[in-house]
């Protein structure tokens, strides 16, 4: 009974904290879009698309990814269905749509969650992994686009379609109250689904941890941690990190506070946990989602490229830590 109560308490604490952050970030971006202010971000997204010889539709979906990556992917797939993008442009746009996540996570997860748990130094290393992944993706999109795509002369800009035409009967000014209502209606299902998933996964992992049912997984990870001369204490956090980075980082923070592991051992362990987590999450969640949106060929290609860049970034940072930390 005690593991169950402790798991419920830990889950409630995490969901209240993370749910608030998710609410602000998700609904804040949606309200920004509902107010029609997305068009003012055109100078941000357009240069990247232009450097990669991508159409304005790519820039528009890239900016939409700031609010919702799924919405951006769906938007890009619709542009392809409307013959406004080629297959090559769709591939690069799909990769580009994942870039905002790596920088947005700094504000929505790393600074509010990782920084208090791991401290400034380790948090900066953790942030470097995400930023390097984003930079690698942008570099690939620009380089591949300039090599494989020809500059396009567009008759109309996708951002122009965001303007409300006065001739449109539905083009009516909305009160702030109506904007808030439309924002809630637009994102409530996604938010409730995200919070429910967060609560379910966190409780499941907490229950596994507190009941000792992760012993079999720890036996598989032990040989890997021994290669890097890490103590046996890190096996638990690495195991849980594969299912929930937040829980794994919290677990590691507790070990650091108890002086059971050093800062060096903690960050190396978390980077190893990330390398193990990426293939698991991509196969379990990302691949089915991408193939459903983009189709088998494009879905597999986009998932494979984004997975490769995420793994590469972690390997680079891991080697840097092993040599210079």
């Amino acid at each position: 009974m005690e593991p169950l109560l402790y798991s419920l308490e830990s889950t409630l604490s995490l969901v209240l904290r993370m749910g608030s952050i998710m609410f602000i970030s998700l609904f804040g971006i949606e309200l920004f879009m509902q107010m029609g202010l997305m068009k003012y971000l055109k100078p941000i997204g357009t240069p990247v698309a232009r450097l990669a010889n991508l159409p304005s539709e790519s820039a528009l979906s890239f900016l939409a990814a700031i609010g919702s990556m799924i919405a951006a992917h769906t938007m890009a797939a619709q542009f392809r269905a409307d013959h406004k993008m080629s297959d090559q442009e769709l591939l690069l746009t799909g990769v580009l749509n994942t870039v905002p996540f790596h920088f947005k996570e700094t504000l929505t997860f790393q600074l509010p969650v990782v920084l208090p748990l791991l401290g400034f130094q380790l948090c900066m290393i953790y942030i470097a992994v995400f930023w390097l992944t984003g930079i690698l993706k942008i570099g690939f999109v620009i380089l591949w686009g300039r090599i494989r795509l020809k500059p396009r002369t567009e008759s109309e800009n996708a951002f122009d379609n965001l303007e409300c035409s006065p001739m449109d009967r539905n083009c009516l000014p909305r009160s702030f109250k109506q904007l808030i209502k439309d924002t809630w209606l637009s994102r409530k299902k996604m938010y409730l689904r995200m919070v429910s998933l967060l609560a379910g996964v966190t409780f499941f992992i907490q229950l596994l941890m507190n009941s000792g049912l992760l012993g079999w997984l720890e036996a598989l990870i032990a040989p890997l941690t021994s290669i890097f001369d890490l103590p046996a204490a890190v096996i638990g956090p690495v195991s849980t990190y594969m299912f929930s980075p937040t829980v794994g980082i919290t677990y590691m923070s507790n070990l650091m506070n108890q002086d059971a592991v050093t800062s060096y051992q903690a960050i190396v362990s978390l980077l190893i946990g990330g390398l193990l987590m990426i293939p698991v999450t991509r196969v379990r969640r990302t691949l089915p989602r991408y193939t459903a949106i983009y189709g088998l060929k494009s879905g597999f290609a986009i998932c494979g490229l984004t997975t490769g860049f995420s793994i590469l970034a972690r390997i680079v940072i891991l080697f840097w830590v092993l040599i210079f930390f």
Side-chain angles (χ1 to χ4, degrees):
M1 191 66 178
E2 185 175 344
L4 179 62
L5 293 176
Y6 185 76
S7 299
L8 285 171
E9 181 182 353
S10 301
T11 300
L12 181 61
S13 175
L14 178 65
V15 170
L16 287 175
R17 185 172 69 251
M18 292 299 298
S20 301
I21 297 170
M22 290 162 59
F23 182 89
I24 294 172
S25 60
L26 183 64
F27 285 93
I29 294 297
E30 178 60 27
L31 179 61
F32 191 79
M33 297 174 65
Q34 288 284 343
M35 294 174 69
L37 299 178
M38 183 63 76
K39 61 179 180 290
Y40 296 113
L41 293 177
K42 178 180 176 181
I44 300 176
T46 301
V48 178
R50 186 179 294 119
L51 282 172
N53 294 330
L54 289 171
S56 57
E57 284 80 6
S58 298
L60 184 58
S61 66
F62 171 68
L63 291 178
I66 297 174
S68 168
M69 193 189 304
I70 297 301
H73 287 319
T74 304
M75 184 183 294
Q78 186 60 53
F79 285 142
R80 178 66 187 98
D82 294 339
H83 304 290
K84 295 181 179 180
M85 284 185 187
S86 66
D87 288 337
Q88 284 285 337
E89 291 168 342
L90 179 66
L91 176 66
L92 295 182
T93 301
V95 175
L96 189 62
N97 284 343
T98 65
V99 170
F101 162 80
H102 299 288
F103 298 98
K104 187 173 68 174
E105 280 282 282
T106 300
L107 299 176
T108 60
F109 177 70
Q110 289 143 12
L111 292 181
V113 177
V114 179
L115 180 59
L117 291 174
L118 298 183
F120 179 79
Q121 188 179 35
L122 297 191
C123 181
M124 291 301 103
I125 296 175
Y126 199 84
I127 288 175
V129 173
F130 284 78
W131 283 32
L132 178 58
T133 305
I135 291 171
L136 288 173
K137 290 179 179 179
I138 290 177
F140 166 78
V141 169
I142 293 175
L143 180 62
W144 194 254
R146 297 191 72 84
I147 292 175
R148 296 296 299 270
L149 301 178
K150 295 181 180 179
R152 292 178 53 170
T153 303
E154 299 181 282
S155 57
E156 62 178 25
N157 193 296
F159 285 87
D160 296 337
N161 296 327
L162 298 178
E163 300 285 354
C164 185
S165 172
M167 301 300 294
D168 188 351
R169 293 183 178 180
N170 295 320
C171 182
L172 299 174
R174 289 178 291 172
S175 64
F176 188 72
K177 180 180 179 180
Q178 186 62 43
L179 283 170
I180 295 294
K181 181 179 179 181
D182 291 343
T183 299
W184 168 250
L185 292 175
S186 177
R187 293 298 181 195
K188 69 174 183 179
K189 288 184 178 180
M190 177 179 290
Y191 175 72
L192 294 175
R193 184 169 62 250
M194 290 168 62
V195 171
S196 300
L197 182 62
L198 175 66
V201 172
T202 302
F203 177 72
F204 178 69
I205 297 302
Q206 288 282 356
L207 194 58
L208 289 177
M209 289 169 50
N210 297 323
S211 60
L213 294 178
L214 288 180
W216 64 273
L217 184 59
E218 294 176 359
L220 296 176
I221 296 175
L224 182 61
T225 57
S226 63
I227 294 176
F228 294 92
D229 196 26
L230 297 172
V234 306
I235 296 176
V238 171
S239 302
T240 55
Y241 187 95
M242 293 174 59
F243 297 95
S244 173
T246 303
V247 180
I249 291 171
T250 303
Y251 195 161
M252 188 66 73
S253 175
N254 293 333
L255 293 179
M256 292 174 62
N257 292 333
Q258 298 168 7
D259 294 324
V261 297
T262 64
S263 297
Y264 168 81
Q265 292 168 339
I267 194 61
V268 170
S269 301
L270 292 175
L271 289 172
I272 293 173
L275 288 173
L276 297 173
M277 175 198 68
I278 290 172
V280 173
T281 57
R282 295 301 189 273
V283 171
R284 190 177 69 232
R285 292 201 306 260
T286 308
L287 184 59
R289 185 183 301 164
Y290 282 13
T291 53
I293 295 174
Y294 290 114
L296 287 177
K297 182 179 179 181
S298 296
F300 267 95
I302 294 171
C303 185
L305 285 170
T306 55
T307 300
F309 288 125
S310 295
I311 292 175
L312 177 60
R314 280 166 173 77
I315 291 175
V316 170
I317 298 299
L318 176 59
F319 272 105
W320 183 88
V321 170
L322 292 173
I323 296 172
F324 297 106
F325 191 81

